[in-house]
Amino acid sequence: MSAGKRKRKSGNWARRQERDPFVRKARADGLRARAFFKLEQIDEKYRLIRPSTRLVDLGSAPGSWSQYAARKVADPGQVVAVDLLPMDSVPGVTFLQGDFTDQAVLEQVLTALDDTPLDLVLSDMAPNISGVRATDEARAEVLQDAVLGFCFRALRRGGVLLTKLFEGETATRMRRHMGEAFDHVQAIKPAASRARSREIYLLGRGFRGAPANQGDTR
Ligand SMILES: C[S@@+](CC[C@H](N)C(=O)[O-])C[C@H]1O[C@@H](n2cnc3c(N)ncnc32)[C@H](O)[C@@H]1O
């Protein structure tokens, strides 16, 4: 892309940001990202988070989902957040920095959870986009495999998974895999998710637990 085109694109992005009502509201309310409203809208409709909910927030930085979760969860609930990037602390949230697809990081998350099963897995992780379709699908697939694999290790029977994807082959495949592991799976596009974005969320409810040949069957 030429320098001129890049400059125009970033100017358009900045103008869109300024006009976006969710960006303005996030600033006014001291929230770290407009993504706060996506989780809020999904939670208000599907009642995912209660005071006693034990949850992980995967791809948590800069921290608006953690801010939302921490406001709703109280003892004995728990919020553990993970990101590749650093994240300023959010009171009530245990943050771990690392690559969630790295087995050692996943084990650290399980340790932070004290091996107690989770009620809810949230993933807002997004891979770096290269612009090369096959590469981007492969990166997305690695992330979604890690998310679903984690559910088999840590999510209780009847538990819930909310995971972000971009419409495409990986989303289709993930929906099929979630269909085998959850009683109900649906695609959600909250109002705060930009209409022109291919972003969708898959919500799986009623986790069936790991099959006998797949790790921990708790
Ligand atoms: C859209 S942002 C999340 C925004 C966040 N939900 C919020 O409300 O502030 C996506 C995040 O996923 C993280 N991420 C992407 N791949 C990851 C990985 N393999 N492990 C951990 N975090 C990852 C990125 O670093 C980025 O901070």
Side-chain angles (χ1 to χ4, degrees), residues 4-28:
K5 196 166 177 194
R6 221 175 6 251
K7 204 168 162 197
R8 270 198 307 282
K9 244 185 139 178
S10 94
N12 289 342
W13 181 85
R15 273 191 294 282
R16 266 203 313 276
Q17 284 289 99
E18 282 313 311
R19 281 199 303 263
D20 185 317
F22 292 109
V23 171
R24 291 182 185 191
K25 186 160 166 42
R27 273 193 208 132

mmCIF file with all atom_site columns, all heavy atoms in Angstrom, residues 4-28:
data_model
loop_
_atom_site.group_PDB
_atom_site.id
_atom_site.type_symbol
_atom_site.label_atom_id
_atom_site.label_alt_id
_atom_site.label_comp_id
_atom_site.label_asym_id
_atom_site.label_entity_id
_atom_site.label_seq_id
_atom_site.pdbx_PDB_ins_code
_atom_site.Cartn_x
_atom_site.Cartn_y
_atom_site.Cartn_z
_atom_site.occupancy
_atom_site.B_iso_or_equiv
_atom_site.pdbx_formal_charge
_atom_site.auth_seq_id
_atom_site.auth_comp_id
_atom_site.auth_asym_id
_atom_site.auth_atom_id
_atom_site.pdbx_PDB_model_num
ATOM 1   N N   . GLY A 1 4  ? 0.618   7.353  0.696  1.00 0.00 ? 4  GLY A N   1
ATOM 2   C CA  . GLY A 1 4  ? -0.541  8.242  0.595  1.00 0.00 ? 4  GLY A CA  1
ATOM 3   C C   . GLY A 1 4  ? -1.826  7.511  0.956  1.00 0.00 ? 4  GLY A C   1
ATOM 4   O O   . GLY A 1 4  ? -2.663  8.017  1.697  1.00 0.00 ? 4  GLY A O   1
ATOM 5   N N   . LYS A 1 5  ? -1.944  6.284  0.418  1.00 0.00 ? 5  LYS A N   1
ATOM 6   C CA  . LYS A 1 5  ? -3.172  5.507  0.671  1.00 0.00 ? 5  LYS A CA  1
ATOM 7   C C   . LYS A 1 5  ? -3.255  5.151  2.161  1.00 0.00 ? 5  LYS A C   1
ATOM 8   O O   . LYS A 1 5  ? -4.324  5.213  2.768  1.00 0.00 ? 5  LYS A O   1
ATOM 9   C CB  . LYS A 1 5  ? -3.137  4.238  -0.184 1.00 0.00 ? 5  LYS A CB  1
ATOM 10  C CG  . LYS A 1 5  ? -4.493  3.588  -0.274 1.00 0.00 ? 5  LYS A CG  1
ATOM 11  C CD  . LYS A 1 5  ? -4.540  2.542  -1.371 1.00 0.00 ? 5  LYS A CD  1
ATOM 12  C CE  . LYS A 1 5  ? -5.906  1.873  -1.363 1.00 0.00 ? 5  LYS A CE  1
ATOM 13  N NZ  . LYS A 1 5  ? -5.934  0.661  -2.136 1.00 0.00 ? 5  LYS A NZ  1
ATOM 14  N N   . ARG A 1 6  ? -2.077  4.795  2.739  1.00 0.00 ? 6  ARG A N   1
ATOM 15  C CA  . ARG A 1 6  ? -2.057  4.444  4.170  1.00 0.00 ? 6  ARG A CA  1
ATOM 16  C C   . ARG A 1 6  ? -2.511  5.637  5.012  1.00 0.00 ? 6  ARG A C   1
ATOM 17  O O   . ARG A 1 6  ? -3.278  5.509  5.956  1.00 0.00 ? 6  ARG A O   1
ATOM 18  C CB  . ARG A 1 6  ? -0.645  4.000  4.575  1.00 0.00 ? 6  ARG A CB  1
ATOM 19  C CG  . ARG A 1 6  ? -0.687  2.818  5.502  1.00 0.00 ? 6  ARG A CG  1
ATOM 20  C CD  . ARG A 1 6  ? 0.625   2.214  5.895  1.00 0.00 ? 6  ARG A CD  1
ATOM 21  N NE  . ARG A 1 6  ? 1.825   2.856  5.489  1.00 0.00 ? 6  ARG A NE  1
ATOM 22  C CZ  . ARG A 1 6  ? 2.653   2.364  4.555  1.00 0.00 ? 6  ARG A CZ  1
ATOM 23  N NH1 . ARG A 1 6  ? 2.373   1.240  3.947  1.00 0.00 ? 6  ARG A NH1 1
ATOM 24  N NH2 . ARG A 1 6  ? 3.757   2.992  4.258  1.00 0.00 ? 6  ARG A NH2 1
ATOM 25  N N   . LYS A 1 7  ? -2.024  6.829  4.628  1.00 0.00 ? 7  LYS A N   1
ATOM 26  C CA  . LYS A 1 7  ? -2.356  8.048  5.377  1.00 0.00 ? 7  LYS A CA  1
ATOM 27  C C   . LYS A 1 7  ? -3.868  8.330  5.293  1.00 0.00 ? 7  LYS A C   1
ATOM 28  O O   . LYS A 1 7  ? -4.517  8.641  6.288  1.00 0.00 ? 7  LYS A O   1
ATOM 29  C CB  . LYS A 1 7  ? -1.560  9.225  4.793  1.00 0.00 ? 7  LYS A CB  1
ATOM 30  C CG  . LYS A 1 7  ? -1.360  10.348 5.760  1.00 0.00 ? 7  LYS A CG  1
ATOM 31  C CD  . LYS A 1 7  ? -0.341  11.328 5.262  1.00 0.00 ? 7  LYS A CD  1
ATOM 32  C CE  . LYS A 1 7  ? -0.506  12.623 6.025  1.00 0.00 ? 7  LYS A CE  1
ATOM 33  N NZ  . LYS A 1 7  ? 0.135   13.728 5.391  1.00 0.00 ? 7  LYS A NZ  1
ATOM 34  N N   . ARG A 1 8  ? -4.411  8.181  4.059  1.00 0.00 ? 8  ARG A N   1
ATOM 35  C CA  . ARG A 1 8  ? -5.852  8.424  3.885  1.00 0.00 ? 8  ARG A CA  1
ATOM 36  C C   . ARG A 1 8  ? -6.668  7.453  4.727  1.00 0.00 ? 8  ARG A C   1
ATOM 37  O O   . ARG A 1 8  ? -7.626  7.813  5.377  1.00 0.00 ? 8  ARG A O   1
ATOM 38  C CB  . ARG A 1 8  ? -6.239  8.271  2.406  1.00 0.00 ? 8  ARG A CB  1
ATOM 39  C CG  . ARG A 1 8  ? -6.142  9.583  1.621  1.00 0.00 ? 8  ARG A CG  1
ATOM 40  C CD  . ARG A 1 8  ? -6.921  9.519  0.323  1.00 0.00 ? 8  ARG A CD  1
ATOM 41  N NE  . ARG A 1 8  ? -6.587  8.385  -0.513 1.00 0.00 ? 8  ARG A NE  1
ATOM 42  C CZ  . ARG A 1 8  ? -5.492  8.297  -1.282 1.00 0.00 ? 8  ARG A CZ  1
ATOM 43  N NH1 . ARG A 1 8  ? -4.615  9.285  -1.301 1.00 0.00 ? 8  ARG A NH1 1
ATOM 44  N NH2 . ARG A 1 8  ? -5.280  7.223  -2.019 1.00 0.00 ? 8  ARG A NH2 1
ATOM 45  N N   . LYS A 1 9  ? -6.223  6.164  4.712  1.00 0.00 ? 9  LYS A N   1
ATOM 46  C CA  . LYS A 1 9  ? -6.951  5.124  5.459  1.00 0.00 ? 9  LYS A CA  1
ATOM 47  C C   . LYS A 1 9  ? -6.949  5.437  6.955  1.00 0.00 ? 9  LYS A C   1
ATOM 48  O O   . LYS A 1 9  ? -7.955  5.311  7.637  1.00 0.00 ? 9  LYS A O   1
ATOM 49  C CB  . LYS A 1 9  ? -6.259  3.767  5.225  1.00 0.00 ? 9  LYS A CB  1
ATOM 50  C CG  . LYS A 1 9  ? -7.140  2.783  4.501  1.00 0.00 ? 9  LYS A CG  1
ATOM 51  C CD  . LYS A 1 9  ? -6.500  1.436  4.382  1.00 0.00 ? 9  LYS A CD  1
ATOM 52  C CE  . LYS A 1 9  ? -7.544  0.383  4.627  1.00 0.00 ? 9  LYS A CE  1
ATOM 53  N NZ  . LYS A 1 9  ? -7.070  -0.960 4.508  1.00 0.00 ? 9  LYS A NZ  1
ATOM 54  N N   . SER A 1 10 ? -5.773  5.848  7.459  1.00 0.00 ? 10 SER A N   1
ATOM 55  C CA  . SER A 1 10 ? -5.715  6.098  8.903  1.00 0.00 ? 10 SER A CA  1
ATOM 56  C C   . SER A 1 10 ? -6.500  7.362  9.265  1.00 0.00 ? 10 SER A C   1
ATOM 57  O O   . SER A 1 10 ? -7.110  7.447  10.323 1.00 0.00 ? 10 SER A O   1
ATOM 58  C CB  . SER A 1 10 ? -4.260  6.123  9.395  1.00 0.00 ? 10 SER A CB  1
ATOM 59  O OG  . SER A 1 10 ? -3.776  7.418  9.407  1.00 0.00 ? 10 SER A OG  1
ATOM 60  N N   . GLY A 1 11 ? -6.554  8.329  8.310  1.00 0.00 ? 11 GLY A N   1
ATOM 61  C CA  . GLY A 1 11 ? -7.381  9.530  8.536  1.00 0.00 ? 11 GLY A CA  1
ATOM 62  C C   . GLY A 1 11 ? -8.857  9.159  8.604  1.00 0.00 ? 11 GLY A C   1
ATOM 63  O O   . GLY A 1 11 ? -9.595  9.646  9.461  1.00 0.00 ? 11 GLY A O   1
ATOM 64  N N   . ASN A 1 12 ? -9.291  8.256  7.698  1.00 0.00 ? 12 ASN A N   1
ATOM 65  C CA  . ASN A 1 12 ? -10.698 7.812  7.704  1.00 0.00 ? 12 ASN A CA  1
ATOM 66  C C   . ASN A 1 12 ? -11.018 7.112  9.012  1.00 0.00 ? 12 ASN A C   1
ATOM 67  O O   . ASN A 1 12 ? -12.085 7.300  9.592  1.00 0.00 ? 12 ASN A O   1
ATOM 68  C CB  . ASN A 1 12 ? -10.955 6.820  6.551  1.00 0.00 ? 12 ASN A CB  1
ATOM 69  C CG  . ASN A 1 12 ? -10.922 7.525  5.214  1.00 0.00 ? 12 ASN A CG  1
ATOM 70  O OD1 . ASN A 1 12 ? -11.041 8.738  5.156  1.00 0.00 ? 12 ASN A OD1 1
ATOM 71  N ND2 . ASN A 1 12 ? -10.745 6.755  4.146  1.00 0.00 ? 12 ASN A ND2 1
ATOM 72  N N   . TRP A 1 13 ? -10.065 6.259  9.473  1.00 0.00 ? 13 TRP A N   1
ATOM 73  C CA  . TRP A 1 13 ? -10.278 5.516  10.718 1.00 0.00 ? 13 TRP A CA  1
ATOM 74  C C   . TRP A 1 13 ? -10.451 6.493  11.886 1.00 0.00 ? 13 TRP A C   1
ATOM 75  O O   . TRP A 1 13 ? -11.364 6.349  12.695 1.00 0.00 ? 13 TRP A O   1
ATOM 76  C CB  . TRP A 1 13 ? -9.098  4.580  10.970 1.00 0.00 ? 13 TRP A CB  1
ATOM 77  C CG  . TRP A 1 13 ? -9.249  3.772  12.226 1.00 0.00 ? 13 TRP A CG  1
ATOM 78  C CD1 . TRP A 1 13 ? -9.911  2.583  12.365 1.00 0.00 ? 13 TRP A CD1 1
ATOM 79  C CD2 . TRP A 1 13 ? -8.748  4.113  13.527 1.00 0.00 ? 13 TRP A CD2 1
ATOM 80  N NE1 . TRP A 1 13 ? -9.865  2.157  13.667 1.00 0.00 ? 13 TRP A NE1 1
ATOM 81  C CE2 . TRP A 1 13 ? -9.159  3.075  14.408 1.00 0.00 ? 13 TRP A CE2 1
ATOM 82  C CE3 . TRP A 1 13 ? -8.020  5.173  14.054 1.00 0.00 ? 13 TRP A CE3 1
ATOM 83  C CZ2 . TRP A 1 13 ? -8.850  3.077  15.761 1.00 0.00 ? 13 TRP A CZ2 1
ATOM 84  C CZ3 . TRP A 1 13 ? -7.713  5.174  15.408 1.00 0.00 ? 13 TRP A CZ3 1
ATOM 85  C CH2 . TRP A 1 13 ? -8.121  4.137  16.248 1.00 0.00 ? 13 TRP A CH2 1
ATOM 86  N N   . ALA A 1 14 ? -9.574  7.527  11.932 1.00 0.00 ? 14 ALA A N   1
ATOM 87  C CA  . ALA A 1 14 ? -9.633  8.493  13.035 1.00 0.00 ? 14 ALA A CA  1
ATOM 88  C C   . ALA A 1 14 ? -10.964 9.253  13.007 1.00 0.00 ? 14 ALA A C   1
ATOM 89  O O   . ALA A 1 14 ? -11.583 9.486  14.047 1.00 0.00 ? 14 ALA A O   1
ATOM 90  C CB  . ALA A 1 14 ? -8.456  9.469  12.929 1.00 0.00 ? 14 ALA A CB  1
ATOM 91  N N   . ARG A 1 15 ? -11.431 9.592  11.802 1.00 0.00 ? 15 ARG A N   1
ATOM 92  C CA  . ARG A 1 15 ? -12.727 10.322 11.707 1.00 0.00 ? 15 ARG A CA  1
ATOM 93  C C   . ARG A 1 15 ? -13.878 9.422  12.163 1.00 0.00 ? 15 ARG A C   1
ATOM 94  O O   . ARG A 1 15 ? -14.770 9.867  12.876 1.00 0.00 ? 15 ARG A O   1
ATOM 95  C CB  . ARG A 1 15 ? -12.960 10.813 10.263 1.00 0.00 ? 15 ARG A CB  1
ATOM 96  C CG  . ARG A 1 15 ? -12.341 12.183 9.987  1.00 0.00 ? 15 ARG A CG  1
ATOM 97  C CD  . ARG A 1 15 ? -12.803 12.744 8.663  1.00 0.00 ? 15 ARG A CD  1
ATOM 98  N NE  . ARG A 1 15 ? -12.321 11.946 7.549  1.00 0.00 ? 15 ARG A NE  1
ATOM 99  C CZ  . ARG A 1 15 ? -11.075 12.009 7.068  1.00 0.00 ? 15 ARG A CZ  1
ATOM 100 N NH1 . ARG A 1 15 ? -10.195 12.838 7.589  1.00 0.00 ? 15 ARG A NH1 1
ATOM 101 N NH2 . ARG A 1 15 ? -10.707 11.254 6.060  1.00 0.00 ? 15 ARG A NH2 1
ATOM 102 N N   . ARG A 1 16 ? -13.811 8.133  11.756 1.00 0.00 ? 16 ARG A N   1
ATOM 103 C CA  . ARG A 1 16 ? -14.873 7.199  12.185 1.00 0.00 ? 16 ARG A CA  1
ATOM 104 C C   . ARG A 1 16 ? -14.896 7.066  13.700 1.00 0.00 ? 16 ARG A C   1
ATOM 105 O O   . ARG A 1 16 ? -15.939 7.043  14.333 1.00 0.00 ? 16 ARG A O   1
ATOM 106 C CB  . ARG A 1 16 ? -14.630 5.810  11.570 1.00 0.00 ? 16 ARG A CB  1
ATOM 107 C CG  . ARG A 1 16 ? -15.374 5.578  10.271 1.00 0.00 ? 16 ARG A CG  1
ATOM 108 C CD  . ARG A 1 16 ? -15.583 4.099  9.990  1.00 0.00 ? 16 ARG A CD  1
ATOM 109 N NE  . ARG A 1 16 ? -14.406 3.283  10.155 1.00 0.00 ? 16 ARG A NE  1
ATOM 110 C CZ  . ARG A 1 16 ? -13.470 3.112  9.241  1.00 0.00 ? 16 ARG A CZ  1
ATOM 111 N NH1 . ARG A 1 16 ? -13.577 3.685  8.073  1.00 0.00 ? 16 ARG A NH1 1
ATOM 112 N NH2 . ARG A 1 16 ? -12.420 2.355  9.478  1.00 0.00 ? 16 ARG A NH2 1
ATOM 113 N N   . GLN A 1 17 ? -13.681 6.992  14.284 1.00 0.00 ? 17 GLN A N   1
ATOM 114 C CA  . GLN A 1 17 ? -13.586 6.872  15.748 1.00 0.00 ? 17 GLN A CA  1
ATOM 115 C C   . GLN A 1 17 ? -14.264 8.057  16.432 1.00 0.00 ? 17 GLN A C   1
ATOM 116 O O   . GLN A 1 17 ? -15.001 7.904  17.387 1.00 0.00 ? 17 GLN A O   1
ATOM 117 C CB  . GLN A 1 17 ? -12.104 6.839  16.193 1.00 0.00 ? 17 GLN A CB  1
ATOM 118 C CG  . GLN A 1 17 ? -11.406 5.527  15.960 1.00 0.00 ? 17 GLN A CG  1
ATOM 119 C CD  . GLN A 1 17 ? -11.899 4.431  16.898 1.00 0.00 ? 17 GLN A CD  1
ATOM 120 O OE1 . GLN A 1 17 ? -12.729 3.622  16.509 1.00 0.00 ? 17 GLN A OE1 1
ATOM 121 N NE2 . GLN A 1 17 ? -11.394 4.397  18.103 1.00 0.00 ? 17 GLN A NE2 1
ATOM 122 N N   . GLU A 1 18 ? -13.976 9.265  15.909 1.00 0.00 ? 18 GLU A N   1
ATOM 123 C CA  . GLU A 1 18 ? -14.522 10.478 16.527 1.00 0.00 ? 18 GLU A CA  1
ATOM 124 C C   . GLU A 1 18 ? -16.043 10.499 16.473 1.00 0.00 ? 18 GLU A C   1
ATOM 125 O O   . GLU A 1 18 ? -16.707 10.997 17.365 1.00 0.00 ? 18 GLU A O   1
ATOM 126 C CB  . GLU A 1 18 ? -13.962 11.733 15.831 1.00 0.00 ? 18 GLU A CB  1
ATOM 127 C CG  . GLU A 1 18 ? -12.544 12.074 16.253 1.00 0.00 ? 18 GLU A CG  1
ATOM 128 C CD  . GLU A 1 18 ? -12.344 12.040 17.771 1.00 0.00 ? 18 GLU A CD  1
ATOM 129 O OE1 . GLU A 1 18 ? -13.153 12.637 18.500 1.00 0.00 ? 18 GLU A OE1 1
ATOM 130 O OE2 . GLU A 1 18 ? -11.385 11.389 18.220 1.00 0.00 ? 18 GLU A OE2 1
ATOM 131 N N   . ARG A 1 19 ? -16.603 9.937  15.376 1.00 0.00 ? 19 ARG A N   1
ATOM 132 C CA  . ARG A 1 19 ? -18.069 9.965  15.194 1.00 0.00 ? 19 ARG A CA  1
ATOM 133 C C   . ARG A 1 19 ? -18.765 8.838  15.943 1.00 0.00 ? 19 ARG A C   1
ATOM 134 O O   . ARG A 1 19 ? -19.964 8.893  16.164 1.00 0.00 ? 19 ARG A O   1
ATOM 135 C CB  . ARG A 1 19 ? -18.404 9.832  13.698 1.00 0.00 ? 19 ARG A CB  1
ATOM 136 C CG  . ARG A 1 19 ? -18.230 11.129 12.917 1.00 0.00 ? 19 ARG A CG  1
ATOM 137 C CD  . ARG A 1 19 ? -19.008 11.057 11.612 1.00 0.00 ? 19 ARG A CD  1
ATOM 138 N NE  . ARG A 1 19 ? -18.592 9.922  10.796 1.00 0.00 ? 19 ARG A NE  1
ATOM 139 C CZ  . ARG A 1 19 ? -17.719 10.004 9.800  1.00 0.00 ? 19 ARG A CZ  1
ATOM 140 N NH1 . ARG A 1 19 ? -17.185 11.157 9.480  1.00 0.00 ? 19 ARG A NH1 1
ATOM 141 N NH2 . ARG A 1 19 ? -17.393 8.938  9.105  1.00 0.00 ? 19 ARG A NH2 1
ATOM 142 N N   . ASP A 1 20 ? -18.012 7.793  16.304 1.00 0.00 ? 20 ASP A N   1
ATOM 143 C CA  . ASP A 1 20 ? -18.619 6.574  16.851 1.00 0.00 ? 20 ASP A CA  1
ATOM 144 C C   . ASP A 1 20 ? -19.188 6.841  18.246 1.00 0.00 ? 20 ASP A C   1
ATOM 145 O O   . ASP A 1 20 ? -18.472 7.202  19.179 1.00 0.00 ? 20 ASP A O   1
ATOM 146 C CB  . ASP A 1 20 ? -17.528 5.493  16.911 1.00 0.00 ? 20 ASP A CB  1
ATOM 147 C CG  . ASP A 1 20 ? -18.074 4.144  17.346 1.00 0.00 ? 20 ASP A CG  1
ATOM 148 O OD1 . ASP A 1 20 ? -18.887 4.096  18.289 1.00 0.00 ? 20 ASP A OD1 1
ATOM 149 O OD2 . ASP A 1 20 ? -17.671 3.143  16.759 1.00 0.00 ? 20 ASP A OD2 1
ATOM 150 N N   . PRO A 1 21 ? -20.521 6.640  18.424 1.00 0.00 ? 21 PRO A N   1
ATOM 151 C CA  . PRO A 1 21 ? -21.125 6.942  19.729 1.00 0.00 ? 21 PRO A CA  1
ATOM 152 C C   . PRO A 1 21 ? -20.580 6.048  20.851 1.00 0.00 ? 21 PRO A C   1
ATOM 153 O O   . PRO A 1 21 ? -20.509 6.480  21.999 1.00 0.00 ? 21 PRO A O   1
ATOM 154 C CB  . PRO A 1 21 ? -22.618 6.680  19.508 1.00 0.00 ? 21 PRO A CB  1
ATOM 155 C CG  . PRO A 1 21 ? -22.713 5.856  18.266 1.00 0.00 ? 21 PRO A CG  1
ATOM 156 C CD  . PRO A 1 21 ? -21.508 6.170  17.433 1.00 0.00 ? 21 PRO A CD  1
ATOM 157 N N   . PHE A 1 22 ? -20.191 4.797  20.509 1.00 0.00 ? 22 PHE A N   1
ATOM 158 C CA  . PHE A 1 22 ? -19.675 3.905  21.555 1.00 0.00 ? 22 PHE A CA  1
ATOM 159 C C   . PHE A 1 22 ? -18.266 4.324  21.993 1.00 0.00 ? 22 PHE A C   1
ATOM 160 O O   . PHE A 1 22 ? -17.908 4.168  23.152 1.00 0.00 ? 22 PHE A O   1
ATOM 161 C CB  . PHE A 1 22 ? -19.686 2.444  21.075 1.00 0.00 ? 22 PHE A CB  1
ATOM 162 C CG  . PHE A 1 22 ? -21.069 1.903  20.906 1.00 0.00 ? 22 PHE A CG  1
ATOM 163 C CD1 . PHE A 1 22 ? -21.584 1.649  19.645 1.00 0.00 ? 22 PHE A CD1 1
ATOM 164 C CD2 . PHE A 1 22 ? -21.880 1.662  22.009 1.00 0.00 ? 22 PHE A CD2 1
ATOM 165 C CE1 . PHE A 1 22 ? -22.874 1.166  19.484 1.00 0.00 ? 22 PHE A CE1 1
ATOM 166 C CE2 . PHE A 1 22 ? -23.174 1.179  21.860 1.00 0.00 ? 22 PHE A CE2 1
ATOM 167 C CZ  . PHE A 1 22 ? -23.666 0.930  20.599 1.00 0.00 ? 22 PHE A CZ  1
ATOM 168 N N   . VAL A 1 23 ? -17.480 4.864  21.059 1.00 0.00 ? 23 VAL A N   1
ATOM 169 C CA  . VAL A 1 23 ? -16.153 5.380  21.418 1.00 0.00 ? 23 VAL A CA  1
ATOM 170 C C   . VAL A 1 23 ? -16.331 6.570  22.371 1.00 0.00 ? 23 VAL A C   1
ATOM 171 O O   . VAL A 1 23 ? -15.682 6.668  23.415 1.00 0.00 ? 23 VAL A O   1
ATOM 172 C CB  . VAL A 1 23 ? -15.356 5.816  20.161 1.00 0.00 ? 23 VAL A CB  1
ATOM 173 C CG1 . VAL A 1 23 ? -14.088 6.553  20.549 1.00 0.00 ? 23 VAL A CG1 1
ATOM 174 C CG2 . VAL A 1 23 ? -15.035 4.611  19.296 1.00 0.00 ? 23 VAL A CG2 1
ATOM 175 N N   . ARG A 1 24 ? -17.262 7.455  22.028 1.00 0.00 ? 24 ARG A N   1
ATOM 176 C CA  . ARG A 1 24 ? -17.500 8.646  22.876 1.00 0.00 ? 24 ARG A CA  1
ATOM 177 C C   . ARG A 1 24 ? -17.980 8.253  24.255 1.00 0.00 ? 24 ARG A C   1
ATOM 178 O O   . ARG A 1 24 ? -17.529 8.781  25.260 1.00 0.00 ? 24 ARG A O   1
ATOM 179 C CB  . ARG A 1 24 ? -18.555 9.538  22.232 1.00 0.00 ? 24 ARG A CB  1
ATOM 180 C CG  . ARG A 1 24 ? -18.057 10.197 20.974 1.00 0.00 ? 24 ARG A CG  1
ATOM 181 C CD  . ARG A 1 24 ? -19.148 11.078 20.465 1.00 0.00 ? 24 ARG A CD  1
ATOM 182 N NE  . ARG A 1 24 ? -18.776 11.666 19.193 1.00 0.00 ? 24 ARG A NE  1
ATOM 183 C CZ  . ARG A 1 24 ? -19.440 12.637 18.615 1.00 0.00 ? 24 ARG A CZ  1
ATOM 184 N NH1 . ARG A 1 24 ? -20.501 13.143 19.197 1.00 0.00 ? 24 ARG A NH1 1
ATOM 185 N NH2 . ARG A 1 24 ? -19.060 13.124 17.473 1.00 0.00 ? 24 ARG A NH2 1
ATOM 186 N N   . LYS A 1 25 ? -18.905 7.292  24.284 1.00 0.00 ? 25 LYS A N   1
ATOM 187 C CA  . LYS A 1 25 ? -19.466 6.890  25.575 1.00 0.00 ? 25 LYS A CA  1
ATOM 188 C C   . LYS A 1 25 ? -18.391 6.185  26.416 1.00 0.00 ? 25 LYS A C   1
ATOM 189 O O   . LYS A 1 25 ? -18.316 6.390  27.627 1.00 0.00 ? 25 LYS A O   1
ATOM 190 C CB  . LYS A 1 25 ? -20.674 5.972  25.354 1.00 0.00 ? 25 LYS A CB  1
ATOM 191 C CG  . LYS A 1 25 ? -21.402 5.610  26.626 1.00 0.00 ? 25 LYS A CG  1
ATOM 192 C CD  . LYS A 1 25 ? -22.810 5.132  26.339 1.00 0.00 ? 25 LYS A CD  1
ATOM 193 C CE  . LYS A 1 25 ? -23.466 4.439  27.527 1.00 0.00 ? 25 LYS A CE  1
ATOM 194 N NZ  . LYS A 1 25 ? -23.260 5.051  28.810 1.00 0.00 ? 25 LYS A NZ  1
ATOM 195 N N   . ALA A 1 26 ? -17.559 5.375  25.754 1.00 0.00 ? 26 ALA A N   1
ATOM 196 C CA  . ALA A 1 26 ? -16.494 4.678  26.496 1.00 0.00 ? 26 ALA A CA  1
ATOM 197 C C   . ALA A 1 26 ? -15.556 5.710  27.133 1.00 0.00 ? 26 ALA A C   1
ATOM 198 O O   . ALA A 1 26 ? -15.190 5.593  28.311 1.00 0.00 ? 26 ALA A O   1
ATOM 199 C CB  . ALA A 1 26 ? -15.712 3.740  25.564 1.00 0.00 ? 26 ALA A CB  1
ATOM 200 N N   . ARG A 1 27 ? -15.215 6.748  26.365 1.00 0.00 ? 27 ARG A N   1
ATOM 201 C CA  . ARG A 1 27 ? -14.341 7.803  26.912 1.00 0.00 ? 27 ARG A CA  1
ATOM 202 C C   . ARG A 1 27 ? -15.009 8.494  28.090 1.00 0.00 ? 27 ARG A C   1
ATOM 203 O O   . ARG A 1 27 ? -14.407 8.675  29.147 1.00 0.00 ? 27 ARG A O   1
ATOM 204 C CB  . ARG A 1 27 ? -14.048 8.847  25.836 1.00 0.00 ? 27 ARG A CB  1
ATOM 205 C CG  . ARG A 1 27 ? -12.865 8.472  24.999 1.00 0.00 ? 27 ARG A CG  1
ATOM 206 C CD  . ARG A 1 27 ? -12.433 9.679  24.162 1.00 0.00 ? 27 ARG A CD  1
ATOM 207 N NE  . ARG A 1 27 ? -11.809 9.192  22.951 1.00 0.00 ? 27 ARG A NE  1
ATOM 208 C CZ  . ARG A 1 27 ? -12.073 9.616  21.731 1.00 0.00 ? 27 ARG A CZ  1
ATOM 209 N NH1 . ARG A 1 27 ? -12.934 10.583 21.529 1.00 0.00 ? 27 ARG A NH1 1
ATOM 210 N NH2 . ARG A 1 27 ? -11.457 9.101  20.695 1.00 0.00 ? 27 ARG A NH2 1
ATOM 211 N N   . ALA A 1 28 ? -16.264 8.867  27.889 1.00 0.00 ? 28 ALA A N   1
ATOM 212 C CA  . ALA A 1 28 ? -16.977 9.620  28.936 1.00 0.00 ? 28 ALA A CA  1
ATOM 213 C C   . ALA A 1 28 ? -17.100 8.795  30.217 1.00 0.00 ? 28 ALA A C   1
ATOM 214 O O   . ALA A 1 28 ? -17.062 9.346  31.319 1.00 0.00 ? 28 ALA A O   1
ATOM 215 C CB  . ALA A 1 28 ? -18.366 10.019 28.429 1.00 0.00 ? 28 ALA A CB  1
#
